[in-house]
Amino acid sequence: MSVGELLAATVPMARTLNLEFQETTPDRAVVVLPDQGEYHNHVGGPHAGAMFTLGESASGAIVLAAFGEQLARAVPLAVSAEIAYRKLAMGTVTATATLGRPAADVVAELDAGERPEFPVSIEIRRADGAVTGEMTVVWTLRPHG
């Protein structure tokens, strides 16, 4: 099962919004929110909450892809999130997530007995390529026990 399939199967909001996990690698995650009238806002585009969920889901996908081998000893948790809405989003929107720190550095902190924190940057784009939102989610790997 791919990371995208796992998230779609285990995260109810991802299923509710019909998110499509197009790419999930340790370097990048790409997730699509299809254009769905039931999730539109008052101007006919995707609701801000749906766009937030899209970005957070893309960040979670890259975290699982980059740190899946650490799940036996740590649980990934979102610490904080910030989003900026840049342009009106209409139609299908796509979120692309990238790690803000090298995964090896994060794992080294975990190996040293620390609880590492690291940012994930997300760009949300319309089909015409315009950036409609920018988001940062700070994650941690909390050791078990």
Side-chain angles (χ1 to χ4, degrees):
M1 184 178 283
S2 72
V3 169
E5 291 168 335
L6 175 68
L7 286 170
T10 60
V11 179
M13 278 303 294
R15 282 194 313 276
T16 296
L17 292 176
N18 300 305
L19 298 182
E20 299 168 5
F21 293 84
Q22 293 190 334
E23 180 181 340
T24 52
T25 71
D27 299 315
R28 179 172 115 123
V30 179
V31 183
V32 173
L33 173 64
D35 186 22
Q36 302 165 87
E38 60 270 31
Y39 304 116
H40 282 178
N41 59 21
H42 61 290
V43 294
H47 188 277
M51 289 183 27
F52 182 94
T53 300
L54 168 68
E56 195 276 341
S57 296
S59 76
I62 197 169
V63 168
L64 285 178
F67 302 108
E69 293 178 359
Q70 308 306 319
L71 295 180
R73 65 183 181 144
V75 62
L77 297 170
V79 174
S80 65
E82 183 176 310
I83 190 166
Y85 301 101
R86 301 289 183 208
K87 291 187 179 204
L88 185 61
M90 299 297 283
T92 298
V93 288
T94 302
T96 302
T98 55
L99 286 178
R101 289 182 56 203
D105 292 353
V106 174
V107 172
E109 286 182 21
L110 189 62
D111 289 343
E114 299 174 26
R115 182 176 169 170
E117 289 190 3
F118 54 94
V120 175
S121 299
I122 306 103
E123 277 193 342
I124 302 172
R125 295 181 178 269
R126 304 187 296 227
D128 68 2
V131 175
T132 63
E134 295 172 320
M135 186 172 181
T136 300
V137 180
V138 175
W139 287 82
T140 188
L141 296 179
R142 185 186 76 191
H144 295 303

